[in-house]
Amino acid sequence: MKAAVIHEFGPPEVLRIEDAATPQPAAGEVLVRVRAVRVGGLLDIGTRAGRNPFARLTFPHILGADFAGEVVEGGEGFSPGERIAGVPFIPCGHCQACSMGRDDACPNAQLVGVHRQGSYAEYVSVPAKIVRRIPPSIGYEQAAALALSGPVAVTQFGVAGLRKGDWVVVTAAASGLGLVTSLVAQALGARVIACSRKEWKREILRGHGFEAVLNTDDDGFVDQVKELTTGRGVAIAIDNTASTSMFAKLCAVLDRLGVIVCSGALAAETVPLDMRSLYLKSQSVIGIRTHTQASLDGFWRMVQDGIETRIDRSFPLDDVAEAHRYVEAEKNFGRVLLTID
Ligand SMILES: [Zn+2]
């Protein structure tokens, strides 16, 4: 089969289109003909560059995490020809976190494209538990764009206890994850304040029907949120940046019983937390590594009611190095995908 293979860590040029052995599905796995794969930051580019702390891989290696395609060899309830989407996170299924239904915290989880061969290829074999059927209304590219971010957002709002009508602020709402998070919150009945620090991105966000689009760098940000929420603040703040200045502002706009949810640490700064304010207002700060298995089902049910995210650009698999350069240059608004005919 055709695949994008790396034989060493390095710049985008280490990605080579080669002929690789078609994987043989093991027990409990499905063999999938891949049609679209998301090009991601940490799992794809970080792993390729040798920056991924989870990566313990053997070369030659095939990258590729969340994907969509059709089942070729079924089993485990899937039949050949069914259209599916898959996620990279494979929880062990028997640890304490897994038995509690909080498999997002599984310490034994493996990642497709990091710990095992990925989906930058015509075929990938993965455990059936990480794939789900996709609605007929959406194409493979849209499915691959939503496959991971959507369930992560559903998990975030489930754990944070979102209720209809709640105010939610999403930072970096113009990122691939942030936009899906904002759309999921909206679909769950939240009143969404989508934030971006770039005006051209805010302009695009304004077209998505959110309650407000704000700039967290604006001196008046805290007052603007207070005004929108009639002085109360937001029930949930989603922040995957871990930026000192941003975190202080989120604390300032958090309502009583409010929850700050973190599923990433792009800036990776150590943020200040006023414990006195936290306990006096019965607030919490929670980390959620990724989605739960249960949220995969919940999310794909929601998609049937019409969630669609923005696809910035699709590259054919042959242009994988160019796709990596494009994502590394942060030129995209929305998902960047590889397509495999
Ligand atoms: Zn586990």
Side-chain angles (χ1 to χ4, degrees), residues 246-277:
M246 184 102 80
F247 191 81
K249 289 181 180 181
L250 294 180
C251 290
V253 299
L254 199 63
D255 194 1
R256 287 169 187 278
L257 294 169
V259 184
I260 295 178
V261 182
C262 167
S263 293
L266 285 176
E269 293 172 359
T270 300
V271 298
L273 180 60
D274 179 353
M275 298 294 275
R276 187 166 177 272
S277 174

Side-chain angles (χ1 to χ4, degrees), residues 90-99 102-103 105-109:
I90 310 169
C92 76
H94 55 254
C95 69
Q96 190 186 22
C98 284
S99 60
R102 283 300 305 273
D103 39 278
C106 175
N108 312 312

Side-chain angles (χ1 to χ4, degrees), residues 162-168 185 188-191 235:
L162 177 76
R163 293 171 307 169
K164 260 190 184 148
D166 275 350
W167 283 95
V168 170
L188 290 169
R191 290 182 280 183

Side-chain angles (χ1 to χ4, degrees), residues 281-292:
K281 294 180 182 169
S282 299
Q283 297 166 329
S284 39
V285 180
I286 55 176
I288 295 178
R289 182 183 176 190
T290 186
H291 59 84
T292 59

